Structure formats: structure tokens, C-alpha cells
Amino acid sequence: MKNIFLLLLTLSIISCENIKKKENMSLVNVNKEFFGKTSDGANVDQYTLKNSNGMEVSVISFGGIITSLKAKDRDGKNEDVVLGFDNLGDYENKSPYFGALIGRYGNRIKEGKFSLDGVEYKLAKNNGENHLHGGLKGFDKVIWDVEVEVNKSSASLMLRYTSVDTEEGYPGNLGVKVTYTLTNEDELKVKYEAETDKKTIVNLTQHSYFNLSAGLRKDILGHEITIDADYFLPVDMTLIPTGEIREVVQTPFDFREFKVVGDDIDLDDTQITYGNGYDHCWVLNNQDEGVRFVASAYDPLSGRLLEVFSDQPGIQFYSGNFLDGTLQSKEGGNYEFRSGFCLETQHYPNSPNQENFPSVILNPGEKYNSETIFKFSSR
């Protein structure tokens, strides 16, 4: 009888310990540390979210920038798969939008101007004759207020910023909230919200550069990409959409099935020449379905798979064509030509000046809502 009692007691203790282990395994955590000071003396913190699988995402309050994202390869090794810097100064002065939140308007606006209700608004021309990614000091270069929320299955950073009326030329006081959530399913969810007190335009996105080989390969030409789109937007030589919506079939822009990035990237094609590779917006399928699968990237070398889900009508696939070896990497060495790619979910470039494109207008009393999910796995 005594032996049976001891056995039951032992089993009970083991069971309790196993339950406790499972509970601990389900926990995620957030670590905060000082990252640096801006040139005007503002403190910048870095927040690192970690889930029960060891996946980590680090974000700084400057620009809402994702400075690091560690995901597993097919051997279970977590490595950093995003491009970036190891210091704040480079993010301030040299960054080609590495990992940043982009706004008020992601992508290009022709000749830096648009009109609302007969009023013309002029923006900075910071990309040749065009406006790019919110201007000289877009959302990628401001300090965001950050709050942390943690539970057993996910950890979130809630970033807030108020863009005042006429900032970078845009009308209206725009209150913005962006929430990064890391789940135990190895998903990074990005939720965008905004409200305005005056009619304005909004197009928010996330500008991480990925290299799923985690530095093992210096370029991304061996990656395989899919984009769920039957059409893309041809551009002029300044990378402004012409207004045409062209079928991808029998063009280098057909990524409806997995295709190696390098296969067609140097073809003698006018659109490839204009972009010096891929730097175009695809017109995503099933736009009335809300958040759905829109794109994926696979690296045969590491086995990492990135799947992208979004409610946006477009996605900008950029193959790192302006990286030229002059920017020093986090790991040592430099970021070479086409060493990272972007999959930026968004509305179409230059939408305020194209009546046939989906509207980017936000009115007072309305709420801008959008969500994109980056899901990581391996095979």
C-alpha cells in the first residue's frame, strides 16, 4: 500500500513538472536595452521579442526599424535573416530604409505632388523628380512611443506616432499606431492603424530586406519567389507606374509559381532595364478576401521559407538593385549588389495621381486598418 502511495505521489509530481514545463515553453518574453542616441540627443531603445521556439525579432524606437530577425533553418539553427546595421548612426545617415516603417506614403509619388478637392499639395522630391517613402524625414526617421504587451502565446510592441498637419507637406494631423506581434507559430504580425482630422492620403508598409540564407550566400539570386498576382504595374524610366495594368504571362514578372530570382533578372526587357532588376508593384489577386496568402520566398541553401499574408491590393518586390557594396553589414563585410530582397505590401505607387488605382484617401471619422503577416518555417 505504501509503495502504491509513493508511486502515485511520484507520478503526480512528474505530471505537475511536465505541466509547468509546457507552460514555460509557451511563454514569450521581451527584453529592452539602450541602443543609442540620435544626432539631436534623443534616446533610442531596442526591444527584442522572443518566442518559445527561439525565434527573435528586435525593433528600435527610431523608425520602428526591425534590426534583427532570427529564424530557423532546416537544421533548427536560428540566424538573422534581415539586413541592417549594428549602430544608430548608420540607420540615421546611410540606410536605404533597412527594416523601417514607411509613411505617410510608401513608394513613389510622381513629381512630388497630388491634389485633394482641388487643393494641390507639394512634397519633397527626394528620389530624382519624385517623392519617395514619405519624404526627407518620413516615419523611418522619427522616434515612436512604444508599449509592450506579453501573454503566453505572443508578445507585442505597440508603436505610436502623431504626424502633424503639413509635416513633409501632407495635410491633417495623422495619429498612427503600428503593432508588431511575434507568435509561437513563428509569425510576425504587423497591424497598421491611423486616423486623421483632415482629408489626407495614407499608404503604410514595412521595408525589411531579407536574405534567408543568413549571410551564407552573398546575393539573393538563388532564392525562389512566388507572388499571387496575374498582373503587374509597368513603370516609366523614373519607376513611376504608367497607369497600365499588364498581365504577367510570358513576361519576366510571372511569379505565379516558384521561380528562381536570378532566372530572368538580367533579361533584355525594358521593364527590367528601368528597374535594374525587379523594383515593381504586383497587382495581387483576390483583393476582396482580406488577409490572404500573397507571396512567399524560399532559400534552397538553408531551407527557410517565408510566407506573406496581407489584406493589401499590391506588393512591391524589390531585388536590392541599389545595394552597391558601400554599406557595412552587421556581420562584417559589406552589403553587395542584390544581397537582400523586399516584399512590401501596400497600395500602388502614385495612386493619388491615378484615378484607376484603388483609393488611398483617408477622411476624418474613418479609420485606416491593415495587416500583414510574415510567417517563417523550413523544409
Side-chain angles (χ1 to χ4, degrees), residues 215-232:
L216 299 178
R217 181 189 285 125
K218 287 192 175 182
D219 60 49
I220 46 85
L221 298 181
H223 284 57
E224 300 173 13
I225 298 286
T226 60
I227 302 174
D228 188 19
D230 297 330
Y231 298 87
F232 78 104

Side-chain angles (χ1 to χ4, degrees), residues 292-333:
R292 77 282 187 202
F293 171 81
V294 296
S296 60
Y298 175 67
D299 174 41
L301 186 64
S302 67
R304 289 187 180 91
L305 174 68
L306 165 62
E307 297 170 283
V308 184
F309 303 81
S310 183
D311 54 11
Q312 289 292 281
I315 192 167
Q316 186 88 2
F317 170 42
Y318 170 55
S319 51
N321 313 309
F322 296 108
L323 298 174
D324 59 5
T326 60
L327 299 176
Q328 187 171 346
S329 77
K330 293 177 285 187
E331 298 82 13

Side-chain angles (χ1 to χ4, degrees), residues 139-282:
F139 291 176
D140 61 299
K141 291 184 174 64
V142 301
I143 303 292
W144 294 72
D145 295 325
V146 183
E147 295 178 36
V148 177
E149 184 176 281
V150 180
N151 58 46
K152 289 184 178 179
S153 61
S154 66
S156 297
L157 297 179
M158 290 158 287
L159 289 76
R160 289 182 172 85
Y161 177 70
T162 298
S163 176
V164 299
D165 186 28
T166 73
E167 182 175 279
E168 290 296 321
Y170 292 94
N173 294 297
L174 186 75
V176 183
K177 177 183 176 183
V178 179
T179 304
Y180 288 118
T181 299
L182 177 63
T183 74
N184 278 335
E185 286 69 48
D186 290 346
E187 298 169 324
L188 176 63
K189 297 182 177 182
V190 188
K191 183 177 181 181
Y192 307 89
E193 301 171 77
E195 293 180 287
T196 184
D197 62 0
K198 186 177 180 180
K199 192 172 186 177
T200 191
I201 61 171
V202 183
N203 184 29
L204 307 179
T205 191
Q206 219 294 327
H207 207 297
S208 285
Y209 287 65
F210 298 98
N211 187 322
L212 300 180
S213 69
L216 299 178
R217 181 189 285 125
K218 287 192 175 182
D219 60 49
I220 46 85
L221 298 181
H223 284 57
E224 300 173 13
I225 298 286
T226 60
I227 302 174
D228 188 19
D230 297 330
Y231 298 87
F232 78 104
L233 302 178
V235 296
D236 63 21
M237 62 189 307
T238 71
L239 300 180
I240 293 290
T242 62
E244 177 190 357
I245 298 176
R246 184 181 298 177
E247 286 190 88
V248 300
V249 63
Q250 295 183 338
T251 76
F253 297 84
D254 189 352
F255 284 90
R256 291 174 296 172
E257 297 182 358
F258 270 118
K259 182 171 73 174
V260 176
V261 173
D263 280 359
D264 295 337
I265 200 168
D266 291 318
L267 288 183
D268 184 13
D269 176 274
T270 301
Q271 287 300 306
I272 290 290
T273 300
Y274 284 165
N276 196 25
Y278 297 110
D279 193 3
H280 297 72
C281 187
W282 273 253

